[in-house]
Amino acid sequence: MNKMTAWAGAAALSLSTATASANELRMVGAFPEGFVFTEEIVKPFMALVEEESGGAVTFALTGPDAVPPLEQLEPVQAGVFDALFTHPAYHAGTTPVGLAIDAIAADPIIRREAGIIDYIDQHYQTLGMKLITAPATGSKGFRYFLKEPINGEPGLDGRKIRGTVSYHPMIEALGGSGVVMGGGEVYSALQTGVVDGAAWGLTGASDFKWYEVADYMADPVFGQVGLMIFMNLDSWNALSAEEQAAIERAALRLETESIARFDTLAAQEKEDLLDLGMKMTAFAETEGVQFEELWSGGVWSVAEKGDPETVTGLRALAREAGLSD
C-alpha cells in the first residue's frame, strides 16, 4: 500500500465514523486527540465554524496516527484531506515561509491589518493551499526542557536538543545541536538519551509526560508559536461565499481569543509541572538577554535561506508594522 492509498483510507475512515453535515470537510491534524493544541485550537475552531455557519460547514478530524506530522502537507495539497492543522515548520522542506510567523509578534489584529496573514496566504495559494488562520499560543511561546540543569555558558554546550529547523540557529548559538523530530517522539528520545532536552511551547509538555524523563524547565521563555490551519485551495474555492465568510469570521474569533487563553494555560502548566517534580533552571543572564534576538534572527535566517525573495517581503511588512526587528 503506497502513502496516497493509506492517506485516502484514513480520510474515508474519518468520514465513515462521523455524522455528515451539509458540507463536512476532512481535516488532518499534527497533534493527538486530547493534546492541548488540538483541544484549545482546532476543536474551538471547528465549533466556531459550525456556529458561524449555522451548521452548514463542519469538520471531521483525523490525527497523526493516520499521517505523521512531517508528511501531512502533501495529502492536503493532493485533496485527500480538505484541511490541515499544523505548525508550518513541519513542512519547511516544501516552503519555509509559514514558519517565519514565529518571529512576528503575536498581535492578531495588527498582523491582519498590516497584510501579514494575506501575504502568507498568497504564497501558500501558489502551492494549492489556503491559509485560514494563524492563532498564537500566548504572548510568549517557548522554553527549553532539559534532563540536566544549566551549569555554565554556553548553556546548551554539547547537548542534543529536539527542535524543528526554526530552532536550530538558536540551539547552535547556545552550544547545542538540533535534532528534528515530532513532539510525540520526544519522550522515548529523552528516555533513551537520543536527546538531552527539547525546545517546545509553554503548553503540551505535561500532556506528553516529559516530567517523567526530564527534570528541568529553563528560563527565560521566548518567541511566539504560530500554529496554522490551512485548506486545500480547490476545497476552499468550492465553498459558497457565505460558507467562506463564516469560516473567516471563525478564524478571526479564534485568533483574538487564543492569546489570553494560552497565557492562562501556560501559567497553570508551569505550576502543574512543578507539582509533578520538575525544577527550574536558568540560562546565564548574559545569554538570557539575547534570547529574543537569537530566536527571531534564527527563524528569519532559516526562512530567508529557503525562499529569500518571499521572506524578505514578509519581513519588510513585519518591520513596518512594528512586529519584528
Side-chain angles (χ1 to χ4, degrees):
M1 180 183 295
N2 61 33
K3 283 184 178 179
M4 198 63 70
T5 302
W7 292 330
L13 179 61
S14 74
L15 288 177
S16 69
T17 57
T19 302
S21 68
N23 203 338
E24 185 174 70
L25 303 173
R26 301 156 297 172
M27 181 186 294
V28 62
F31 307 98
E33 179 80 16
F35 189 74
V36 63
F37 294 162
T38 304
E39 294 297 320
E40 300 293 341
I41 291 195
V42 76
K43 288 186 178 180
F45 173 74
M46 292 163 63
L48 287 168
V49 169
E50 187 168 2
E51 176 188 333
E52 291 287 351
S53 70
V57 181
T58 61
F59 288 89
L61 179 64
T62 298
D65 289 346
V67 185
L70 300 180
E71 300 176 12
Q72 291 177 350
L73 181 69
E74 184 181 348
V76 183
Q77 288 177 299
V80 177
F81 298 93
D82 299 299
L84 169 64
F85 170 53
T86 192
H87 190 285
Y90 284 175
H91 55 253
T94 300
T95 175
V97 173
L99 68 82
I101 198 75
D102 285 351
I104 299 173
D107 187 316
I109 301 302
I110 295 178
R111 281 179 174 181
R112 286 192 173 268
E113 290 177 347
I116 288 165
I117 301 302
D118 285 343
Y119 185 96
I120 298 171
D121 173 39
Q122 288 302 310
H123 169 74
Y124 273 90
Q125 288 195 33
T126 68
L127 303 174
M129 300 288 285
K130 167 76 178 174
L131 174 59
I132 302 299
T133 186
T137 62
S139 51
K140 287 295 179 184
F142 304 98
R143 73 162 74 246
Y144 289 96
F145 296 86
L146 302 168
K147 296 178 72 171
E148 301 293 337
I150 304 294
N151 53 22
E153 293 185 59
L156 298 179
D157 190 27
R159 305 191 205 206
K160 303 182 294 294
I161 304 295
R162 175 271 170 196
T164 55
V165 293
S166 52
Y167 294 97
H168 287 190
M170 184 181 189
I171 291 171
E172 291 164 6
L174 295 170
S177 56
V179 179
V180 175
M181 63 177 64
E185 304 171 71
V186 175
Y187 184 100
S188 61
L190 286 165
Q191 188 176 43
T192 59
V194 172
V195 296
D196 305 299
W200 188 260
L202 302 185
T203 53
S206 61
D207 289 342
F208 284 131
K209 299 186 177 181
W210 290 351
Y211 55 85
E212 296 180 348
V213 289
D215 291 334
Y216 295 91
M217 46 183 168
D219 280 337
V221 298
F222 57 93
Q224 293 83 34
V225 180
L227 298 171
M228 292 182 173
I229 296 174
F230 298 93
M231 280 189 63
N232 172 281
L233 187 57
D234 289 338
S235 297
W236 171 258
N237 288 334
L239 297 173
S240 69
E242 292 79 9
E243 290 167 338
Q244 290 178 350
I247 291 173
E248 288 173 339
R249 290 193 300 272
L252 185 58
R253 286 177 64 185
L254 181 75
E255 290 175 7
T256 55
E257 295 168 5
S258 288
I259 293 176
R261 182 164 70 249
F262 271 88
D263 281 347
T264 299
L265 289 168
Q268 184 61 56
E269 175 146 334
K270 179 179 178 180
E271 183 178 326
D272 291 344
L273 289 172
L274 291 171
D275 288 343
L276 288 163
M278 292 196 84
K279 299 177 282 292
M280 298 303 303
T281 188
F283 287 83
E285 184 177 355
T286 51
E287 286 188 319
V289 295
Q290 303 177 56
F291 265 32
E292 291 300 333
E293 182 179 352
L294 287 174
W295 170 251
S296 63
V299 172
W300 283 120
S301 71
V302 169
E304 288 172 339
K305 183 177 180 181
D307 189 340
E309 183 176 353
T310 306
V311 175
T312 296
L314 178 59
R315 193 171 190 178
L317 278 178
R319 281 173 168 158
E320 186 176 348
L323 297 180
S324 189
D325 59 8

